Amino acid sequence: MRIVLEKREARSKTVTVLVPIISFVVSLMLGSIVLGLSGANPLSTYGFMFKGAFGTWIDFTETLVKAIPLLLTGLGVALAFKLRFWNIGAEGQFIWGAIGTSWVMVFWNFLPLPLLLPIGLVMGMVAGAMWAGIPAILKANWGVDETLTTLMLNYVAILFAEYLYYGPWRDPDGFGFPGTKRFPQEGWLPRFAGRAHYGLFLALAIAILLWFLLSKTRWGFEIKMIGKNQKAARCLGVSIEKSIVVTLLISGALAGLAGATEVAGISHRLQKGIDMGYGYTAIIIAWMAQLNPLACILVSILMAGLLVGGDQLQMMVGLPSSMGLVIQGLLLFPLLAGSVFTEYRLKIVRKVEA
Amino acid sequence: MDLNWFVCFLGAAVVAGTPLVLATLGELITEKSGSLNLGVEGMMYMGAIIGFTTGLQTGSPFFAFIGAALAGILGAMIFGFVTITLRANQIVTGLTLTMFGTGFAGFIGTPIIGERAPQKIIDTFVKVKLPLLGDIPVIGEIFFNQDYLVYLTYILIILVGFYLYKSRYGLNGTIVGENPKAADSLGISVIGYRYLHLAMGGALCGLAGGYLSLIYVPSWQDSMIAGRGWIAVALVIFSKWNPYRAYIGALFFGGLNIVGFRLQQFDLPVSTYLLDALPYLMTVIVLVFDSMRSKSRSHAPAGLGTPYFREER
């Protein structure tokens, strides 16, 4: 007797919904093993994390603060992944977005003050798009492996940001603090509750717009086709090279906008610690949401909750902050493992004589 | 910058290149059988922290490196179970392994940041000049006045070359990577060989991590691997899946890794940030040249990255 995987005739809708939920439960169980081994009570730890993230309105606004960049970078990654372009450079594009916005805010003194915020955000998007455009053009023209180029450029981006805030852009009145001058108040992204700023509504609107574009327009159809079958797409006259570059510019612009809203809405300067790893978490968000922009909304709030809860853990229980990364890995492994069941079912075969 | 300085620099490049070549060999073996495991960075982190903590607990260099290799194998087996048995996407699974390994090392390593490797291990891996070979002028000083693990690496390169090109098992593994269907009809176990190559690759990546934490640094630091796993993935492409060529690439990037630090003494008008970014920038540049010259993955195993389903033949 042995167990084999048998292909389903059609993808099962029920399983598609069930898999993320069951995976989440499995992850919590795996996580409790890790917590148990490090001497913490899993149940009370999870309860503590949940309360820390969703317990009070103020806690929830902190979760929203993290959900904004996660949603924007997650959307960018999901869009690129739809093309089967493995953009793992959202982190670098996020940092470039922050750099672009800070450049406008700190150095474009000639701008009328009301224009500071819109032009600053646009510049963040342009910078993020540029950073994603490099690997996209390399891939489209010469087939250069994008996983490696996007990742390598993350390291370059963070070193460049360090160069700026330790070097020429450092606030001369900052007592050596590694960061730029504070942005003029007119350039700040207004907040509606706690530290949660209006970038949230921008991100939500973009998620809905992207969903519409992907599911209802020719462009969205082409992207899906290229992702599924490049040869067929080419036969139908789709320019794959152009699609890659255009789509990646948008993907980078979204990650760039995430960096832009982060500096304009939260830190109000470019400073040490801008590389918070949102761009990597974005990969998990995109995959958990099965590359669906609307699902990204829910998943990014959930992931933000995990991060905020994890931070609380660190402050109160003293668990290291890398616990967050461990949990993210534990979340994704069961999800990846479980996705097989949307296309296959388990079947027990009794050995028969051949 | 006289000859002496240069010999010294190249000797240090050999040391810095050693973890790179170990990880590159690991990924090379893995890819030869058709699995694209982007979790190299994660497996290196797992090897680095488990090797280091085992070293702290036992004080034994032998057990420390066994621990490092086993940790790498554990990471590779997670990858194998999810991608081979459960047929998940290899790229995303590899990324997840990298994330998990990084977090795992950070999680275990936070309380011991800054702690030094046990003296016994440091003493075991001091530079030892080989008789005869070490007396060759220049070359001897660069290649044969090193620690034992560097010498072990030379042997491993030859072993991997022998395994892949001359042994039946290695050739079987290569067929699995090139054409799993044909391999299967020849009675070669596709799944078996993919797991086997993953395990060997994981062990080498784990050793690479252990080399960094136990010999190269040698104390526990956060974010110690710093993208070396990814450079190894790129080196596999540059080497055109050839273990001997991989060594040359690893030496070059080992040199790039230390050039910033070494040039500081000369007070050059170059930003240290630029020098630090060199390995990453050069990876991109070499990748571009490589892809322009030939189709980038034309030397890659034909079945690389594609799962194999027997019932769908």
Side-chain angles (χ1 to χ4, degrees), chain A residues 5-7 34-35 38 81 84 86 88 134 138 142-149 151-153 155-156 159-160 162-164 166-167 280-281 283-284 287 319-323 325-326 328-330 332-333 336-341 344, chain B residues 38 41 78-79 81-82 85-89 91-93 95-97 99-100 102-108 110-111 226-228 230-231 233-234 237 271 273 276-277 279-281 283-284 287-288 291-292 294-297 309 311-312:
Chain A
L5 291 167
E6 185 188 64
K7 188 129 187 151
V34 176
L35 287 171
S38 58
F81 277 20
R84 291 278 176 267
W86 304 108
I88 46 180
I134 300 169
L138 294 179
W142 299 289
V144 182
D145 187 293
E146 77 276 13
T147 38
L148 288 167
T149 49
L151 191 102
M152 290 298 155
L153 290 177
Y155 290 103
V156 178
L159 280 165
F160 184 65
E162 277 179 13
Y163 161 75
L164 289 175
Y166 276 108
Y280 297 110
T281 308
I283 298 166
I284 296 178
W287 206 254
L319 284 174
S321 61
S322 6
M323 188 63 202
L325 271 178
V326 176
Q328 291 181 25
L330 290 180
L332 207 45
F333 277 132
L336 285 159
S339 56
V340 68
F341 299 110
Y344 297 85
Chain B
L38 295 182
E41 181 97 354
I78 298 176
F79 178 87
F81 180 67
V82 177
T85 303
L86 293 175
R87 304 166 187 191
N89 182 297
I91 292 183
V92 183
T93 308
L95 288 173
T96 310
L97 181 55
M99 242 184 262
F100 174 77
T102 310
F104 178 80
F107 181 67
I108 298 184
T110 303
R228 286 185 177 87
W230 290 100
I231 291 178
V233 176
I237 300 177
S271 163
Y273 295 100
D276 285 343
Y280 312 117
L281 280 173
T283 308
V284 175
L287 268 176
V288 174
S291 309
M292 278 172 152
S294 56
K295 279 264 173 272
S296 140
R297 284 205 181 258
F309 313 128
E311 63 273 23
E312 282 160 34

Side-chain angles (χ1 to χ4, degrees), chain B residues 34-311:
Chain B
S35 298
L36 179 63
N37 184 355
L38 295 182
V40 181
E41 181 97 354
M43 293 186 290
M44 286 176 79
Y45 266 116
M46 291 169 80
I49 186 65
I50 294 296
F52 195 81
T53 45
T54 315
L56 284 184
Q57 296 292 328
T58 64
S60 146
F62 177 74
F63 284 119
F65 278 99
I66 291 291
L70 285 178
I73 292 177
L74 172 71
M77 288 301 101
I78 298 176
F79 178 87
F81 180 67
V82 177
T83 61
I84 299 176
T85 303
L86 293 175
R87 304 166 187 191
N89 182 297
Q90 294 190 4
I91 292 183
V92 183
T93 308
L95 288 173
T96 310
L97 181 55
T98 286
M99 242 184 262
F100 174 77
T102 310
F104 178 80
F107 181 67
I108 298 184
T110 303
I112 51 166
I113 284 178
E115 205 152 315
R116 268 175 74 76
Q119 197 56 39
K120 190 177 168 209
I121 295 181
I122 295 176
D123 290 341
T124 309
F125 293 103
V126 290
K127 292 192 187 311
V128 178
K129 192 169 174 177
L130 285 190
L132 296 175
L133 286 171
D135 294 325
I136 307 170
V138 183
I139 301 276
E141 186 59 32
I142 295 170
F143 291 99
F144 301 109
N145 186 11
Q146 300 288 6
D147 60 71
Y148 287 127
L149 217 76
V150 173
Y151 300 138
L152 179 70
T153 304
Y154 298 155
I155 297 171
L156 281 172
I157 296 167
I158 296 165
L159 275 181
V160 169
F162 182 82
Y163 170 79
L164 287 176
Y165 300 132
K166 302 276 188 248
S167 84
R168 192 162 58 90
Y169 300 108
L171 291 173
N172 283 350
T174 307
I175 298 173
V176 167
E178 290 294 337
N179 191 341
K181 272 182 204 169
D184 198 5
S185 54
L186 287 171
I188 300 169
S189 163
V190 174
I191 291 181
Y193 271 97
R194 287 201 167 160
Y195 267 110
L196 175 70
H197 279 225
L198 269 173
M200 292 192 285
L204 286 166
C205 293
L207 281 180
Y211 187 85
L212 279 166
S213 63
L214 288 162
I215 303 177
Y216 188 77
V217 175
S219 67
W220 184 256
Q221 306 289 339
D222 232 1
S223 56
M224 155 182 319
I225 312 292
R228 286 185 177 87
W230 290 100
I231 291 178
V233 176
L235 279 170
V236 175
I237 300 177
F238 304 158
S239 72
K240 306 197 192 313
W241 287 263
N242 174 317
Y244 309 116
R245 231 186 299 224
Y247 185 63
I248 301 167
L251 276 190
F252 177 66
F253 275 88
L256 281 180
N257 259 326
I258 54 166
V259 74
F261 181 71
R262 294 264 156 175
L263 283 180
Q264 266 175 12
Q265 50 180 305
F266 295 109
D267 235 359
L268 295 182
V270 191
S271 163
T272 52
Y273 295 100
L274 180 65
L275 290 172
D276 285 343
L278 262 185
Y280 312 117
L281 280 173
M282 276 311 285
T283 308
V284 175
I285 292 168
V286 180
L287 268 176
V288 174
F289 274 110
D290 199 58
S291 309
M292 278 172 152
R293 256 186 320 132
S294 56
K295 279 264 173 272
S296 140
R297 284 205 181 258
S298 58
H299 292 266
L304 185 60
T306 46
Y308 176 64
F309 313 128
R310 180 181 229 173
E311 63 273 23

Side-chain angles (χ1 to χ4, degrees), chain A residues 6 9 17 26 50 54 74-75 92-93 119 153 173 189-190 193 234-235 252 274 337:
Chain A
E6 185 188 64
E9 280 102 61
V17 178
V26 172
F50 183 81
F54 302 104
L75 291 171
Q93 292 140 24
I119 293 189
L153 290 177
D173 309 318
L189 200 52
R234 205 183 287 278
C235 287
I274 185 71

